[in-house]
Amino acid sequence: MAQMRAAIESGVPDNKPFLHPLMRKNYGNWRYHDRPRPGVLHHVAHGGDEIWTVRAGTQRQMDVYTIRKLCGIADEYADGYVRFTIRSNIEFMVGDQKKVAPLIQALNGAGFPVGGTGNSVSSIAHTQGWLHCDIPGTDASGAVKALMDELYAEFVREDMPNRVHLSTSCCEINCGGQADIAVVMQHTKPPKINHDLVANVCERPAVVARCPVAAIRPALVNGKPSLEVDEKKCICCGACYPPCPPMQINDPEHSKLAIWIGGKNSNARGKPTFMKMVASGLPNNPPRWPEVSAVVKKVLYTYKEDARPWERVADWVERIGWPRFFEKTGLPFTKYLIDDWRGSRSSLNASTHIRF
Ligand code: SF4
Ligand code: SF4
């Protein structure tokens, strides 16, 4: 009888058994690659093998029927192998150029655009949102779907100055990354504390230690152990809310969205860069977030028109300068934007020591 594979509790499994056979055979041994058209990569191995990869966009949060549909396309039109990119595009590999066009036709016919390569706007990276996480102030995946519907044309063609990576994050503190243009949750009021629940639910020292500006103190409220917040110090980051849900910070009116630009995670062709905030206080307005889409599109299309070939968003802004960025995009500038204040390193609680 076949033995069940023992579960591996740590680390990722070896990916080699899941690779397309041509990829496995030529792993690390490619002569060159090119892109015959947007959404298609073509790799040529030193030994002469060739493989085509067709990249398609998805709605990211997928139900089992959609995944079955994609796997059916892989079995019928590709060689039965798929993989997901870090931005949740799905890629199909074929060892025969003749299979590329029917595969693209099948994907488009099922509603999946082919693109996301080279100088396009690839799929938007998003955090988990209302579906999976317990602390989001907005639905990052919903904002992504609304935005990608509007940027569909930029996914299927490659005519941006350079690649553009977008992201959304549904809280300010956890799993978001740096992106050329990012939509980030922004709380604007300190948490509201439900004092009846704190003693039962929260480890108070852990919550006190969590605050980056030491604004939380233990307190006795109505004879019960609880916490209090020095609202003058609080920067509304929301870091106290995950370890202590009674410190509710999500608010339908005061939780807003901000747009940050110029971030880059990789060190390819230029060093990584941190994003800077260029618009704030946008309404958290599901299900289509039109105010957010309008600002993202304003930045994106100003960049598209004004940047030189191969400039990423951060390179473009560095060349023209921040005053010109605000002039060209027409976004209003306030003193709260593009904060690059170096003093934050010693005044924010960036170490394990609490400073009062
Ligand atoms: S960004 Fe924050 S709220 Fe969103 S999934 Fe990550 S931890 Fe949860
Ligand atoms: S952790 Fe953040 S939100 Fe909570 S009290 Fe401190 S500064 Fe305010």
Side-chain angles (χ1 to χ4, degrees):
M1 202 173 105
Q3 278 229 311
M4 290 288 286
R5 185 172 71 88
I8 299 168
E9 300 293 346
S10 63
V12 292
D14 180 16
N15 70 340
K16 305 290 181 307
F18 308 107
L19 293 178
H20 188 287
L22 282 176
M23 293 241 158
R24 205 162 42 226
K25 180 178 161 204
N26 297 292
Y27 196 85
N29 198 21
W30 301 100
R31 189 149 68 89
Y32 73 93
H33 67 272
D34 55 10
R35 290 194 309 281
R37 55 150 280 173
V40 179
L41 312 170
H42 169 225
H43 284 79
V44 180
H46 282 292
D49 287 337
E50 291 178 77
I51 189 162
W52 286 263
T53 304
V54 176
R55 181 180 294 178
T58 68
Q59 63 271 50
R60 300 206 41 143
Q61 302 277 17
M62 285 186 281
D63 56 40
V64 72
Y65 303 102
T66 310
I67 292 171
R68 284 214 176 107
K69 194 188 285 178
L70 286 163
C71 292
I73 292 173
D75 286 336
E76 193 176 342
Y77 295 95
D79 299 343
Y81 291 83
V82 295
R83 66 182 174 197
F84 285 93
T85 71
I86 53 169
R87 308 192 82 74
S88 294
N89 299 293
I90 187 167
E91 292 187 338
F92 300 79
M93 278 65 64
V94 292
D96 179 355
Q97 191 177 10
K98 286 198 214 76
K99 290 184 177 174
V100 173
L103 172 58
I104 292 174
Q105 211 177 356
L107 284 165
N108 287 341
F112 301 102
V114 169
T117 51
N119 295 1
S120 66
V121 176
S122 194
S123 276
I124 305 178
H126 72 76
T127 51
Q128 296 307 319
W130 290 329
L131 196 57
H132 289 304
C133 184
D134 55 353
I135 58 164
T138 188
D139 187 27
S141 54
V144 161
K145 174 72 174 79
L147 202 46
M148 277 316 272
D149 283 350
E150 304 222 12
L151 298 177
Y152 181 96
E154 304 305 336
F155 180 85
V156 298
R157 58 189 187 209
E158 295 181 351
D159 59 3
M160 284 285 156
N162 199 335
R163 69 196 61 221
V164 183
H165 286 165
L166 274 64
S167 74
T168 66
S169 302
C170 37
C171 72
E172 290 181 48
I173 49 161
N174 284 348
C175 46
Q178 302 294 317
D180 292 294
I181 306 174
V183 180
V184 182
M185 169 47 54
Q186 177 191 37
H187 300 296
T188 60
K189 292 268 170 154
K192 283 187 202 147
I193 306 178
N194 182 337
H195 293 288
D196 290 336
L197 293 179
V198 168
N200 298 341
V201 177
C202 312
E203 272 198 43
R204 294 187 305 154
V207 186
V208 170
R210 187 87 180 235
C211 179
V213 291
I216 308 175
R217 287 187 291 254
L220 268 186
V221 180
N222 300 329
K224 279 189 176 177
S226 186
L227 297 162
E228 66 182 7
V229 170
D230 179 345
E231 296 196 352
K232 284 205 204 86
K233 276 185 173 179
C234 175
I235 55 171
C236 310
C237 67
C240 49
Y241 176 48
C244 187
M247 297 188 74
Q248 178 60 256
I249 196 154
N250 292 337
D251 180 285
E253 194 189 334
H254 300 298
S255 292
K256 306 282 191 185
L257 288 163
I259 309 293
W260 297 63
I261 71 157
K264 180 167 165 287
N265 287 316
S266 82
N267 54 9
R269 288 166 288 279
K271 60 185 180 184
T273 51
F274 282 127
M275 312 184 287
K276 302 264 193 297
M277 185 163 72
V278 298
S280 65
L282 302 173
N284 183 16
N285 192 5
R288 303 297 295 178
W289 291 270
E291 298 84 359
V292 167
S293 297
V295 175
V296 170
K297 282 189 338 196
K298 202 179 270 187
V299 174
L300 185 69
Y301 289 116
T302 311
Y303 158 75
K304 185 175 181 180
E305 229 170 72
D306 198 56
R308 292 183 184 153
W310 303 108
E311 277 179 338
R312 291 282 290 259
V313 171
D315 305 326
W316 166 60
V317 176
E318 198 173 308
R319 178 171 60 78
I320 64 171
W322 284 108
R324 297 271 287 148
F325 167 84
F326 284 96
E327 268 167 43
K328 282 174 185 277
T329 53
L331 295 175
F333 176 72
T334 75
K335 65 178 182 177
Y336 301 108
L337 302 176
I338 61 165
D339 181 15
D340 54 1
W341 181 50
R342 290 178 179 208
S344 63
R345 191 71 197 156
S346 55
S347 69
L348 293 184
N349 187 11
S351 77
T352 49
H353 300 283
I354 297 178
R355 284 181 284 272
F356 290 96

